[in-house]
């Protein structure tokens, strides 16, 4: 069984993959102080509660928080007797090319999303990930990563608005009934929702114009279902896109075949 771990700036997701499907997925707050022992107690408890008796034999990690990786490596070694693949490290091969400026470090989550997007939807793709930051990643016709765009995340923008303006409350994100709000909360919700709809539309339109070819838009991340309510904003939505990408990268590293299946 494969334990796939996606460590983001806000949350860390653990999924168990049996080679065909995910048996379970759990989420915890990202904390670089959490020890390998704490991870194991938490994980084994959840597995027991759900009656999962899977024997973890492999582990793969994608982390945007470097300080977390050490304790995840200890978790793999101490409790699962395995050496984890860590996306972005030299011993973890990718089934795609990365075409960016020399010396540029690309977030591992963005590379994983590119691998997953190409595997599921083919090339000529824009992957929009609603995380701590809202990222746009461009997938070439042959699956290569060609760069992208980083914008402030939705919740980050709301938090900044609340903290910088004393009179503005913290509000939940939802689609407003009308564009023009008649109270403070409705005004803020409209600004965030329709503002980010505009951000996604404009950035995707400019990427398409710059590439001068049709491109599909695939959304992922916690707030993607909310923004999917805007008509024709995305061509597809994939909740477990990053996790799927981790399984593809793991499979790629288990074989001598270093290319994705031809389309």
């Amino acid at each position: 069984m494969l334990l796939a771990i996606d460590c983001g700036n806000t949350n860390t997701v653990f999924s168990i993959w049996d080679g065909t499907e995910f048996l379970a997925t759990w989420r915890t707050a990202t904390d670089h102080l959490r020890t390998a022992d704490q991870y194991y107690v938490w994980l084994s408890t959840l597995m027991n509660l759900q009656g999962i008796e899977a024997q973890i034999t492999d582990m793969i990690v994608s982390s945007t928080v470097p300080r977390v990786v050490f304790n995840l490596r200890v978790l793999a070694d101490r409790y699962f007797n395995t050496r984890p693949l860590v996306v972005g490290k030299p011993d973890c091969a990718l089934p795609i090319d990365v075409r960016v400026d020399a010396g540029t470090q690309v977030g591992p989550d963005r590379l994983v999303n590119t691998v997953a997007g190409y595997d599921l939807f083919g090339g000529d793709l824009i992957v929009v990930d609603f995380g701590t930051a809202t990222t746009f990643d461009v997938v070439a016709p042959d699956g290569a990563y060609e760069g992208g765009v980083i914008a402030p995340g939705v919740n980050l923008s709301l938090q900044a608005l609340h903290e910088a303006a004393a009179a503005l409350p913290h509000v939940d994100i939802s689609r407003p009934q009308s564009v023009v709000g008649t109270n403070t909360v409705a005004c803020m919700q409209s600004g965030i929702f329709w503002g980010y709809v505009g951000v996604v539309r404009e950035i995707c339109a400019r990427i398409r114009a710059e590439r001068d070819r049709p491109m599909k838009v695939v959304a992922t991340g916690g707030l993607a279902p909310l923004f999917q309510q805007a008509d024709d904003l995305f061509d597809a939505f994939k909740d477990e896109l990053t996790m799927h990408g981790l399984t593809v990268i793991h499979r790629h590293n288990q074989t001598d075949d270093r290319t994705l299946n031809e389309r």
Side-chain angles (χ1 to χ4, degrees):
M1 297 286 181
L2 172 67
L3 176 60
I5 303 175
D6 173 32
C7 177
N9 291 297
T10 303
N11 293 314
T12 300
V13 181
F14 290 69
S15 289
I16 295 178
W17 173 256
D18 69 357
T20 304
E21 62 180 353
F22 289 109
L23 300 181
T25 296
W26 303 287
R27 186 180 301 266
T28 186
T30 298
D31 181 1
H32 72 275
L33 296 176
R34 186 174 287 118
T35 66
D37 301 327
Q38 289 174 312
Y39 277 123
Y40 181 73
V41 170
W42 173 80
L43 183 62
S44 60
T45 299
L46 289 173
M47 290 174 65
N48 289 333
L49 285 173
Q50 293 191 223
I52 296 174
E53 299 179 357
Q55 182 67 39
I56 304 299
T57 58
D58 295 270
M59 186 166 142
I60 185 168
V61 178
S62 168
S63 178
T64 58
V65 185
R67 288 192 293 176
V68 173
V69 175
F70 174 78
N71 283 324
L72 291 176
R73 285 187 182 275
V74 175
L75 170 70
D77 177 64
R78 180 178 298 169
Y79 291 104
F80 304 129
N81 193 31
T82 187
R83 180 177 179 176
L85 281 170
V86 180
V87 179
K89 299 299 182 181
D91 61 345
C92 182
L94 296 177
I96 60 166
D97 289 331
V98 180
R99 298 173 187 150
V100 295
D101 295 342
T104 300
Q105 290 188 333
V106 181
D109 55 330
R110 305 178 73 182
L111 297 176
V112 174
N113 284 347
T114 297
V115 170
Y118 182 63
D119 185 65
L120 292 171
F121 303 101
D124 282 332
L125 200 67
I126 302 169
V127 179
V128 184
D129 189 350
F130 291 89
T132 304
T134 301
T135 58
F136 301 75
D137 295 310
V138 177
V139 184
D142 64 352
Y145 177 82
E146 291 192 324
V149 177
I150 300 176
V154 177
N155 285 318
L156 192 62
S157 295
L158 262 181
Q159 181 181 345
L161 191 62
H162 169 61
E163 292 179 354
L168 296 181
H170 180 78
V171 300
D172 293 328
I173 305 292
S174 64
R175 176 173 177 165
Q177 295 182 345
S178 61
V179 176
V180 179
T182 55
N183 57 68
T184 301
V185 170
C187 289
M188 293 175 67
Q189 288 176 332
S190 182
I192 290 293
F193 182 83
W194 292 113
Y196 270 86
V197 168
V199 167
V200 173
R201 287 196 195 281
E202 181 66 14
I203 290 178
C204 288
R206 288 185 175 271
I207 291 173
R208 286 185 176 116
E210 194 169 86
R211 290 296 186 270
D212 193 26
R213 61 179 186 260
M215 301 182 74
K216 299 182 290 293
V217 179
V218 175
T220 191
L223 289 175
L226 170 65
F227 288 95
Q228 197 176 19
Q229 297 176 28
D231 296 337
D232 302 324
L233 194 60
F234 312 124
D235 296 296
F237 162 71
K238 181 65 176 178
D239 185 31
E240 296 180 337
L241 187 71
T242 306
M243 286 302 172
H244 178 80
L246 287 174
T247 67
V248 175
I249 294 171
H250 174 263
R251 183 174 69 243
H252 176 72
N253 281 267
Q254 305 309 302
T255 67
D256 292 329
D257 180 12
R258 296 303 188 192
T259 58
L260 290 173
N261 293 331
E262 292 185 1
R263 297 188 172 276

